[in-house]
Amino acid sequence: MPTAELAEFDQKAVGWIAGGDIEECLAEVCLESLHAPGNATHGFMDFMLMMGVAGQGQKADYVDTYDLFHTMEAYFTWYPGGIGGE
């Protein structure tokens, strides 16, 4: 698995999920694009589901990533009404 390809996909995925960009995600992600960098994981699919629940254009209120050896851990949180419950 090419490391550069994996890192590029991870960065794109974090951007889509953090920004709530469902349309861009769906335009670029297909079975082949998930298999190429080795990212056909339940975690990415869970984040796509959470993006859909949050709604198109709904940015994540909290985003953090950690590079761990050969993989990236990502964390996203959406708060109803935003961080302050507004």
Side-chain angles (χ1 to χ4, degrees):
M1 162 177 47
T3 305
E5 191 173 6
L6 175 59
E8 180 182 346
F9 181 87
D10 285 347
Q11 291 303 318
K12 282 183 177 182
V14 167
W16 297 326
I17 297 164
D21 197 347
I22 296 168
E23 294 300 322
E24 184 68 25
C25 182
L26 293 176
E28 289 201 37
V29 174
C30 64
L31 187 57
E32 292 80 20
S33 69
L34 287 173
H35 281 257
N39 265 16
T41 66
H42 65 279
F44 178 71
M45 302 307 275
D46 289 345
F47 286 136
M48 287 183 65
L49 174 64
M50 292 182 342
M51 254 192 340
V53 170
Q56 172 67 13
Q58 184 64 42
K59 295 180 180 182
D61 294 302
Y62 174 81
V63 178
D64 205 351
T65 60
Y66 299 98
D67 290 321
L68 301 172
F69 306 107
H70 65 284
T71 187
M72 174 194 287
E73 293 291 321
Y75 301 91
F76 304 91
T77 304
W78 290 265
Y79 297 102
I83 291 177
E86 303 158 355

